């Protein structure tokens, strides 16, 4: 007789029920496995490729640049004109319309001259007849749909401790995933450099424009001074001397301004170089040999186990449930 106070669980009865329903359980397991096979074959194949790079600190080069600047009479300050962009902001740049538009225009299949935007439109059956707008301030319906798909294709993560930036791309074609990862890295670097040196470039452009204008004035006054001297070689009087002194003084002033502006241009050029970030690639994106999904074997096993568990639970609970329903119908 079974002890009513025993804590032991008797598995004999459930195992007997499972054994009695072994054919149904086996068929259910096989059916679930077949469903798993079908789903594994239907699911789209995906490949993943990633690249890793790290932005280098330019502060170590400041002293050498300052030394070079001093040789040409330029005082290069220690403060950078460009704004520092922390690596933690790189994922946000990847979410920007500017980045996404640039990457959508990239050719991922040179043989067929196929860019990423056309591939996404064709692969995901996006209606290409929607009116588009070329304004950079307007996101069209096509772009909006492509942007959402890009969020699933491209992911950027940052190792806050070591500063490593990882770009991972998932595509249905192995070669496309590697191409897209490398192109994403180059576009991201380009945008970062543009933002970092924007202030220094504006300063350089302004200095070059001022230098060009003053050189024009310099050439003009130099021509006037030469012509005046040539036309008054044998004439010496107070008026001629005063006019010549005036032209020479004007020439010296313009010459000094041109010299100073030339120094400023060299300073600005060095500043642009100093502000330009340097990136070291730790890992290039390679064409993957194996897909990341679907994991067909694992999927079939999971479906098979699921079918076995469901059918076993049904075998164990069939009689108690049948009895419960009978009692409910009689009451």
């Amino acid at each position: 007789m079974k002890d009513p106070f025993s804590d032991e669980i008797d598995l004999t009865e459930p195992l007997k029920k499972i054994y009695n329903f072994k054919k149904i359980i086996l068929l259910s397991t096989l059916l679930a496995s077949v469903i798993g096979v079908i789903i594994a074959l239907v699911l789209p194949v995906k490949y993943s490729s990633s690249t890793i790079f790290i932005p280098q600190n330019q502060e170590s080069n400041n002293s050498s640049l300052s030394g070079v600047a001093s040789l040409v009479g330029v005082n290069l300050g220690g403060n950078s004109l460009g704004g520092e962009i922390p690596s933690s902001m790189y994922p946000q740049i990847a979410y920007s319309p500017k980045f996404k538009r640039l990457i959508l225009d990239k050719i991922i299949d040179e043989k067929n001259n196929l860019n990423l935007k056309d591939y996404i439109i064709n692969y995901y059956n996006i209606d290409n007849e929607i009116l588009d707008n070329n304004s950079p301030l307007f996101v069209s319906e096509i772009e909006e749909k492509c942007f959402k798909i890009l969020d699933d294709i491209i992911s950027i993560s940052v190792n806050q401790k070591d500063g490593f930036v990882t770009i991972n791309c998932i595509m249905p074609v192995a070669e496309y995933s590697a191409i897209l990862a490398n192109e994403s890295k180059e576009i991201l670097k380009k945008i970062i450099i543009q933002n970092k040196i924007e202030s220094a470039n504006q300063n350089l452009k302004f200095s070059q424009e001022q230098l060009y204008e003053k050189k024009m004035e310099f050439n003009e006054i130099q021509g006037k001074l030469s012509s005046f001297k040539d036309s008054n070689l044998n004439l010496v009087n107070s008026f001629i001397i005063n006019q010549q002194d005036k032209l020479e003084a004007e020439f010296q002033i313009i010459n000094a301004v041109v010299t100073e502006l030339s120094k400023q241009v060299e300073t600005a050029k060095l500043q642009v170089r100093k502000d330009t970030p340097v990136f070291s690639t730790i890992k290039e994106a390679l064409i993957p040999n194996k897909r990341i999904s679907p994991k067909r074997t694992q999927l079939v096993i999971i479906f098979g186990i699921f079918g076995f568990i469901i059918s076993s639970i049904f075998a164990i609970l069939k009689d108690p449930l049948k009895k419960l329903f009978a009692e409910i119908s009689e009451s």
Side-chain angles (χ1 to χ4, degrees):
M1 183 177 179
K2 183 180 177 181
D3 184 3
F5 298 103
S6 176
D7 292 334
E8 295 181 0
I9 299 175
D10 186 10
L11 298 177
T12 305
E13 193 65 26
L15 290 175
K16 283 183 179 179
K17 292 181 178 180
I18 291 174
Y19 181 78
N20 292 334
F21 279 84
K22 60 181 179 295
K23 291 184 179 180
I24 296 176
I25 292 174
L26 181 60
L27 289 174
S28 299
T29 303
L30 290 174
L31 179 61
S33 299
V34 171
I35 294 174
V37 170
I38 295 173
I39 293 176
L41 293 174
V42 170
L43 286 175
V45 176
K46 293 182 179 180
Y47 294 89
S48 176
S49 183
S50 61
T51 178
I52 302 173
F53 67 94
I54 183 170
Q56 297 291 330
N57 193 344
Q58 286 281 75
E59 292 301 322
S60 60
N61 298 328
N62 287 356
S63 58
S64 60
L65 286 174
S66 298
V68 173
S70 64
L71 294 177
V72 294
V74 174
N75 181 19
L76 187 59
N79 295 327
S80 173
L81 293 175
E84 188 68 32
I85 301 176
S87 57
S88 59
M89 292 296 293
Y90 292 3
Q92 301 302 320
I93 295 175
Y95 284 124
S96 67
K98 180 179 180 180
F99 174 87
K100 291 180 177 180
R101 282 172 175 151
L102 289 172
I103 197 66
L104 284 173
D105 289 334
K106 285 297 178 181
I107 300 294
I108 58 174
D109 190 337
E110 292 185 359
K111 183 178 179 181
N112 299 313
N113 195 29
L114 179 68
N115 62 21
L116 180 60
K117 183 177 181 180
D118 291 337
Y119 174 80
I120 290 176
I121 290 173
N122 294 330
Y123 186 82
Y124 293 95
N125 295 319
I126 298 176
D127 186 5
N128 201 17
E129 295 182 359
I130 302 173
L131 292 177
D132 209 341
N133 191 317
N134 294 324
S135 171
L137 301 177
F138 178 80
V139 178
S140 67
E141 291 184 46
I142 293 178
E143 285 184 326
E144 187 174 2
K145 291 179 181 180
C146 290
F147 287 176
K148 288 180 180 179
I149 294 171
L150 274 180
D151 291 338
D152 296 327
I153 293 177
I154 303 173
S155 62
I156 299 178
S157 58
V158 180
N159 184 316
Q160 298 289 354
K161 181 180 179 181
D162 299 320
F164 295 107
V165 181
T166 302
I167 302 177
N168 186 65
C169 293
I170 300 174
M171 291 285 283
V173 181
E175 185 179 359
Y176 293 174
S177 65
I179 292 173
L180 191 58
N182 285 321
E183 291 291 356
S184 298
K185 178 187 67 176
E186 295 304 318
I187 291 175
L188 184 64
K189 287 161 58 175
K190 180 180 178 181
I191 292 175
I192 292 167
I193 290 173
Q194 285 177 346
N195 282 275
K196 185 72 170 63
I197 66 174
E198 182 179 2
S199 178
N201 266 333
Q202 290 178 353
N203 183 63
L204 174 60
K205 183 179 179 181
F206 175 79
S207 298
Q208 288 175 330
E209 289 175 351
Q210 294 298 310
L211 178 60
Y212 177 78
E213 291 179 4
K214 291 303 177 183
K215 276 187 175 181
M216 294 292 288
E217 293 183 24
F218 174 83
N219 292 333
E220 184 180 352
I221 191 64
Q222 189 179 42
K224 286 182 179 180
L225 181 59
S226 298
S227 297
F228 182 83
K229 286 182 176 180
D230 290 340
S231 59
N232 295 281
L233 287 175
N234 300 318
L235 299 175
V236 178
N237 56 52
S238 298
F239 175 78
I240 292 175
I241 293 174
N242 289 336
Q243 286 297 110
Q244 183 172 329
D245 289 343
K246 187 185 295 184
L247 288 172
E248 287 179 347
E250 189 175 350
F251 173 80
Q252 293 297 329
I253 293 173
I254 296 296
N255 185 47
V257 172
V258 169
T259 302
E260 184 60 33
L261 285 173
S262 298
K263 292 181 180 179
Q264 290 182 15
V265 168
E266 293 304 318
T267 301
K269 287 180 179 179
L270 289 170
Q271 188 69 56
V272 169
R273 180 165 181 174
K274 186 184 76 170
D275 287 349
T276 302
V278 177
F279 301 90
S280 296
T281 299
I282 308 300
K283 174 182 175 293
E284 288 285 357
L286 302 176
I287 299 175
N289 295 318
K290 295 182 180 179
R291 61 179 179 270
I292 60 167
S293 69
K295 297 180 179 179
R296 290 170 178 166
T297 303
Q298 183 179 348
L299 198 60
V300 172
I301 293 173
I302 291 173
F303 269 82
I305 294 173
F306 182 75
F308 175 81
I309 293 173
I310 294 298
S311 57
S312 298
I313 293 174
F314 172 78
I316 295 171
L317 298 180
K318 180 185 176 184
D319 291 338
L321 288 175
K322 187 176 180 181
K323 185 178 179 182
L324 178 62
F325 290 145
E327 291 177 355
I328 294 175
S329 60
E330 290 176 359
S331 60

